[in-house]
């Protein structure tokens, strides 16, 4: 199998592999899956990711000229590489394609400056959680994600011994960035910011793309960083880690 960086002509294949992966991995209805594909694998969005060569990365696994798997990851300003998606076509699962993509992604993020690698997976995705555990990752935290109007628990895995909460100052006040709890953004993750080091009372979000606070959230749960334009949307879809 050949692993390479995705190019613009791969966009239809990326959508197809992602759709088949979601259909095989989750008990989601056709409407929900279609919404996920349109939200996260719109061809214009894929093109934006491909254009951002410094922070975002899509790798594809190719066999006999056919795309059979893919990974999407992001490198944030705090030197953390996060695997957002790891999909393998159901017809090719069990052949080590997911592990090969994972290893290649890990190496590429490290070469680009990542000091820590993270991955996020739904708590009820047995295969996904086992995948990270089998690769030596530790569960570092949890969060919640809305999928088609339903709330799911999401586990955060990391290869770091400990991430914890980092104090920062905002208008003379000390608040704490939780590196164990973050939400996906269009450019890089948003970390939850707490009022105290113990994690009581949410203060806002920290944009890891430009390392600034982003506190404004609209009624739909959407956050946008005023400094760099990084956006957190209220819905994120998990991947099939196989």
């Amino acid at each position: 199998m050949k692993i390479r960086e995705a190019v613009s002509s791969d966009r239809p294949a990326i959508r197809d592999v992602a759709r088949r992966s979601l259909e095989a991995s989750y008990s989601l209805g056709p409407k929900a899956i279609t919404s996920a594909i349109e939200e996260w694998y719109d061809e214009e969005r894929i093109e934006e990711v491909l254009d951002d060569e410094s922070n975002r990365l899509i790798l594809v696994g190719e066999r006999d000229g056919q795309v059979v798997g893919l990974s999407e990851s992001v490198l944030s300003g705090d030197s953390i590489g996060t695997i957002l998606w790891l999909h393998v076509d159901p017809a090719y699962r069990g052949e080590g394609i997911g592990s090969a993509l994972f290893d290649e992604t890990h190496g590429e993020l490290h070469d680009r400056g990542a000091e820590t690698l993270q991955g996020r997976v739904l708590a009820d995705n047995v295969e996904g959680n086992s995948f990270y555990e089998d690769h030596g990752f530790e569960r570092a935290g949890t969060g919640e994600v809305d999928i088609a109007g339903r709330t799911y628990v999401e586990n955060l895995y990391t290869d770091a011994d400990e991430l914890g909460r980092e104090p920062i100052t905002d208008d003379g006040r000390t608040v704490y960035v939780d590196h164990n709890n973050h939400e996906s953004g269009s450019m890089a993750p948003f970390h939850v910011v707490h009022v105290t080091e113990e994690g009581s009372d949410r203060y806002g979000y920290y944009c890891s793309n430009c390392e600034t606070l982003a506190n404004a959230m609209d009624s739909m749960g959407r956050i946008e960083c005023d400094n760099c334009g990084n956006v957190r949307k209220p819905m994120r879809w998990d991947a099939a880690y196989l």
Side-chain angles (χ1 to χ4, degrees):
M1 182 183 67
K2 177 182 179 182
I3 298 179
R4 58 173 175 79
E5 290 192 35
V7 295
S8 183
S9 59
D10 292 320
R11 291 178 299 173
I14 288 172
R15 287 172 60 91
D16 288 344
V17 169
R19 177 183 291 277
R20 289 195 292 271
S21 178
L22 286 170
E23 290 173 342
S25 302
Y26 300 101
S27 57
L28 299 171
K31 183 177 180 180
I33 290 176
T34 297
S35 296
I37 296 300
E38 293 304 318
E39 176 74 17
W40 298 107
Y41 295 100
D42 175 81
E43 293 199 11
E44 290 186 5
R45 178 190 175 274
I46 295 173
E47 192 67 36
E48 291 177 0
V49 175
L50 297 178
D51 288 342
D52 186 358
E53 297 179 356
S54 59
N55 293 324
R56 293 191 283 180
L57 174 70
I58 296 180
L59 298 180
V60 296
E62 189 178 62
R63 178 167 291 175
D64 299 325
Q66 178 181 348
V67 173
V68 297
L70 66 104
S71 71
E72 180 184 348
S73 55
V74 61
L75 178 64
S76 61
D78 44 12
S79 300
I80 295 176
T82 302
I83 297 178
L84 304 174
W85 314 105
L86 184 56
H87 287 298
V88 176
D89 188 316
Y92 293 88
R93 292 182 179 180
E95 301 180 18
I97 293 171
S99 291
L101 281 165
F102 175 87
D103 291 342
E104 191 72 20
T105 302
H106 192 176
E108 183 65 31
L109 289 171
H110 182 269
D111 290 344
R112 295 185 181 198
E115 298 176 1
T116 300
L117 190 65
Q118 295 182 347
R120 299 179 74 88
V121 57
L122 293 182
D124 60 1
N125 182 345
V126 177
E127 294 85 357
N129 285 272
S130 296
F131 181 93
Y132 278 106
E133 292 167 0
D134 291 344
H135 284 76
F137 278 54
E138 298 288 339
R139 196 174 78 177
T142 61
E144 292 184 347
V145 58
D146 291 331
I147 300 177
R150 180 179 173 185
T151 300
Y152 294 82
V153 175
E154 189 178 43
N155 290 332
L156 169 68
Y157 285 88
T158 179
D159 62 353
D161 293 334
E162 184 177 358
L163 293 177
R165 299 186 177 100
E166 175 190 2
I168 62 171
T169 302
D170 181 45
D171 291 334
R173 179 180 187 177
T174 299
V175 293
Y176 298 86
V177 179
D178 191 346
H179 291 289
N180 290 341
N181 189 357
H182 72 246
E183 302 290 344
S184 296
S186 59
M187 298 179 181
F190 285 97
H191 295 277
V192 174
V193 180
H194 298 283
V195 174
T196 68
E197 189 173 7
E198 291 73 27
S200 63
D201 297 328
R202 182 171 297 189
Y203 183 78
Y205 286 89
Y206 175 84
C207 175
S208 62
N209 187 58
C210 64
E211 301 181 319
T212 60
L213 286 168
N215 291 323
M217 177 188 292
D218 64 23
S219 60
M220 298 300 292
R222 182 177 182 272
I223 298 172
E224 182 171 1
C225 176
D226 292 334
N227 189 55
C228 69
N230 188 23
V231 177
R232 171 194 176 270
K233 296 183 179 180
M235 181 176 69
R236 178 186 175 275
W237 291 84
D238 187 41
Y241 299 88
L242 298 172

